Amino acid sequence: MSDPPPCPPSPSDCCGNGCTPCVNDIYDQEIKLWEERQQRKLNPEENEETAKKLNENSYTDFECIDVTQVTPTTRIFRFSLGHSRALLGHSAGQHLVVRGVAGGEAVTRQLSILSSPDQRGEFALCVKLYKEGKMSQIISEWKNGTMVQCRGPFGAFKYKANSCKMLVLLAQGTGLVPFIPILEQVLGNLDEEAKVTLIYSASSWEEVLCQEEINEFCGFWNFSCKIFVGDQQAVNLCRVPQREVLWTRMGEEEVKELCKSLETDSKFLVCGSKQYMKDICDILTISCGYDAQQIERF
């Protein structure tokens, strides 16, 4: 693979909310890593291959072993860890920085990890592809056998059992991805007493991700789910206990109505587009009176 210098982020790429890591931090890291790679090329004797494992400060090549189209715009990619007993080494809710090259330009993107921390032998990324996206053009070419450069994991969220009475996860689109392993961890803990609510927004029913996983979560006594479908094109669905599908876009009134039934010490996890997260956080803090410390953005 060619190794051009990284492409700097545009001013609009930074949301200004102190993300960890920020796109500007990632760019600074990418420049440093690129300079180190160029130096190693000048000193081959220092360029010995070390054990391949995930690292925050250097890229590891992982082989793509499966590609599944799960919605018209979204694919799940699975990667080998090189050994059937190997673990990726991440925590639930974390993400990777993935690097690719297109048109002689190095491009990076942060991708949430779909697989659980105890998944052995492989890991999965769920990615929405955009027609005009530089990284999407690269990712659309991934197939079995493609070697993909990843580093990480990143993300500060750590699950702590019984840290609140109500855990509310608000997701838009592929913002659901980091919540799947979190939900597996929370609901799989028999000592967890908190009630868990997933509020998920999708543009259409065919774009709803992880439907089987969500339906399985609905089998737990402390889980409930509301799915808002934005295009309002209702389809016939099998009834699933503790799952409610609403054929409308979620707005401020819907969030405020939800908050009426919540405990005061509820904790909120929010993941989606920059605008979605800003809107949800503003509603929770300004309209509903929750403290910003109760909200974690992904």
Side-chain angles (χ1 to χ4, degrees), residues 29-151:
Q29 294 168 357
E30 290 297 315
I31 286 290
K32 183 178 179 180
L33 293 172
W34 179 80
E35 291 173 345
E36 290 175 353
R37 290 196 298 273
Q38 307 318 301
Q39 186 63 35
R40 285 199 297 270
K41 290 177 183 178
L42 298 175
N43 299 279
E45 67 278 4
E46 299 178 4
N47 195 22
E48 295 182 3
E49 186 75 6
T50 57
K52 287 192 173 184
K53 60 180 181 180
L54 194 60
N55 189 300
E56 288 187 12
N57 300 313
S58 61
Y59 283 101
T60 302
D61 289 337
F62 292 99
E63 181 183 0
C64 180
I65 56 174
D66 183 69
V67 181
T68 305
Q69 189 85 34
V70 290
T71 80
T73 64
T74 310
R75 300 176 191 174
I76 291 178
F77 300 89
R78 299 192 181 278
F79 299 88
S80 172
L81 290 171
H83 190 282
S84 62
R85 299 294 297 168
L87 293 169
L88 182 60
H90 69 293
S91 299
Q94 289 191 304
H95 63 274
L96 303 178
V97 172
V98 177
R99 179 180 182 273
V101 176
E105 184 176 71
V107 186
T108 60
R109 184 170 167 186
Q110 299 177 68
L111 299 178
S112 295
I113 304 166
L114 176 63
S115 46
S116 65
D118 58 1
Q119 174 69 54
R120 294 186 179 272
E122 63 180 53
F123 69 95
L125 302 175
C126 182
V127 188
K128 182 172 182 177
L129 302 179
Y130 298 88
K131 291 182 179 180
E132 305 302 323
K134 291 182 180 179
M135 195 64 187
S136 290
Q137 294 173 21
I138 296 170
I139 294 174
S140 66
E141 299 298 321
W142 290 357
K143 56 183 182 296
N144 288 9
T146 300
M147 302 301 292
V148 177
Q149 293 185 328
C150 305
R151 66 183 181 93

Side-chain angles (χ1 to χ4, degrees), residues 43-294:
N43 299 279
E45 67 278 4
E46 299 178 4
N47 195 22
E48 295 182 3
E49 186 75 6
T50 57
K52 287 192 173 184
K53 60 180 181 180
L54 194 60
N55 189 300
E56 288 187 12
N57 300 313
S58 61
Y59 283 101
T60 302
D61 289 337
F62 292 99
E63 181 183 0
C64 180
I65 56 174
D66 183 69
V67 181
T68 305
Q69 189 85 34
V70 290
T71 80
T73 64
T74 310
R75 300 176 191 174
I76 291 178
F77 300 89
R78 299 192 181 278
F79 299 88
S80 172
L81 290 171
H83 190 282
S84 62
R85 299 294 297 168
L87 293 169
L88 182 60
H90 69 293
S91 299
Q94 289 191 304
H95 63 274
L96 303 178
V97 172
V98 177
R99 179 180 182 273
V101 176
E105 184 176 71
V107 186
T108 60
R109 184 170 167 186
Q110 299 177 68
L111 299 178
S112 295
I113 304 166
L114 176 63
S115 46
S116 65
D118 58 1
Q119 174 69 54
R120 294 186 179 272
E122 63 180 53
F123 69 95
L125 302 175
C126 182
V127 188
K128 182 172 182 177
L129 302 179
Y130 298 88
K131 291 182 179 180
E132 305 302 323
K134 291 182 180 179
M135 195 64 187
S136 290
Q137 294 173 21
I138 296 170
I139 294 174
S140 66
E141 299 298 321
W142 290 357
K143 56 183 182 296
N144 288 9
T146 300
M147 302 301 292
V148 177
Q149 293 185 328
C150 305
R151 66 183 181 93
F154 299 100
F157 175 79
K158 299 291 183 183
Y159 163 62
K160 183 179 179 181
N162 296 309
S163 58
C164 60
K165 291 184 179 180
M166 175 74 79
L167 179 63
V168 183
L169 303 93
L170 296 109
Q172 176 199 47
T174 50
L176 176 69
V177 175
F179 291 167
I180 294 298
I182 292 174
L183 286 167
E184 290 175 344
Q185 192 170 50
V186 174
L187 298 173
N189 183 358
L190 298 180
D191 295 324
E192 180 61 71
E193 296 180 357
K195 292 184 178 180
V196 183
T197 298
L198 171 65
I199 309 298
Y200 180 35
S201 298
S203 58
S204 65
W205 183 255
E206 64 180 358
E207 289 291 346
V208 174
L209 296 169
C210 303
Q211 295 184 29
E212 290 185 9
E213 288 85 349
I214 292 174
N215 291 346
E216 289 179 5
F217 294 152
C218 289
F220 288 87
W221 70 271
N222 56 338
F223 178 82
S224 63
C225 172
K226 285 189 177 182
I227 302 175
F228 289 84
V229 182
D231 69 358
Q232 304 180 21
Q233 300 298 311
V235 298
N236 292 323
L237 301 173
C238 295
R239 182 181 178 277
V240 176
Q242 300 173 183
R243 185 194 75 179
E244 182 181 3
V245 179
L246 299 99
W247 306 100
T248 185
R249 294 175 62 89
M250 184 181 71
E252 180 174 356
E253 292 305 314
E254 286 76 16
V255 177
K256 289 166 66 175
E257 185 64 29
L258 165 71
C259 290
K260 290 179 181 179
S261 61
L262 300 182
E263 301 284 350
T264 56
D265 69 341
S266 296
K267 183 174 180 61
F268 300 88
L269 309 184
V270 184
C271 190
S273 67
K274 288 187 289 185
Q275 188 62 52
Y276 171 85
M277 291 194 289
K278 180 183 184 303
D279 291 344
I280 293 297
C281 292
D282 285 349
I283 295 170
L284 292 175
T285 54
I286 299 172
S287 301
C288 300
Y290 286 99
D291 193 291
Q293 296 299 315
Q294 295 175 257

